[in-house]
């Protein structure tokens, strides 16, 4: 089995910064890609940023130039550095990973439990 554990969420003021971490563990042969998604109350879950095994990144227009996604392959960990935070960034942030397990040829999507980010004065 595979699990993703997020950390780093919390309450910050507008203009502040926060760094989220997500560590994958378990029966992992390789991680094809990792990313962050967020969901506000009453809203759909939207992509925030993704990064492939080759280092290619993709960002939602609303967070470009403010957020940076990175990964540490040796630690099976993905990070999201969030700067210049706005109230509209408030949401539950979920870690996602596409993982190939030992003795299984099919990559599978996994989700973390989510971590709350609140931006408020």
């Amino acid at each position: 089995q595979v699990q993703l554990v997020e950390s780093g969420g919390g309450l910050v003021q507008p203009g502040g910064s926060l760094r989220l971490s997500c560590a994958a563990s378990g029966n992992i042969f390789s991680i094809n890609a990792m990313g962050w998604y967020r969901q506000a109350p009453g809203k759909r879950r939207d992509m925030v940023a993704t990064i492939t095994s080759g280092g290619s990144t993709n960002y939602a227009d609303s967070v470009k130039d403010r957020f940076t996604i990175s990964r540490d392959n040796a630690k099976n960990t993905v990070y999201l550095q969030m700067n210049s935070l706005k109230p509209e960034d408030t949401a539950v942030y979920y870690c996602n990973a596409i993982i190939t397990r030992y003795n299984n040829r099919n990559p599978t999507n996994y989700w973390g439990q989510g971590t709350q980010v609140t931006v408020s004065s």
Side-chain angles (χ1 to χ4, degrees):
Q1 182 65 336
V2 171
Q3 70 172 12
L4 307 178
V5 179
E6 301 111 326
S7 62
L11 173 65
V12 296
Q13 294 189 352
S17 297
L18 209 58
R19 184 175 177 86
L20 305 183
S21 300
C22 172
S25 62
N27 184 25
I28 299 172
F29 176 74
S30 64
I31 301 179
N32 302 69
M34 302 186 80
W36 291 94
Y37 295 71
R38 67 187 182 187
Q39 186 170 24
K43 304 292 186 179
R44 62 177 295 161
R45 186 175 298 186
D46 292 328
M47 185 273 291
V48 177
T50 60
I51 184 166
T52 69
S53 60
S56 298
T57 59
N58 188 36
Y59 296 92
D61 288 342
S62 59
V63 306
K64 286 181 178 178
D65 302 320
R66 297 190 298 122
F67 292 8
T68 302
I69 189 170
S70 61
R71 64 188 294 176
D72 185 336
N73 292 336
K75 299 172 63 176
N76 289 335
T77 299
V78 64
Y79 306 94
L80 185 67
Q81 178 66 47
M82 304 185 292
N83 298 325
S84 301
L85 283 162
K86 305 174 180 180
E88 50 263 45
D89 295 318
T90 296
V92 177
Y93 284 69
Y94 296 91
C95 178
N96 172 260
I98 303 173
I99 294 173
T100 300
R101 295 168 291 173
Y102 288 109
N103 305 119
N104 192 321
R105 300 185 302 171
N106 304 118
T108 303
N109 273 288
Y110 292 89
W111 291 94
Q113 79 287 349
T115 184
Q116 177 70 47
V117 172
T118 302
V119 185
S120 176
S121 298

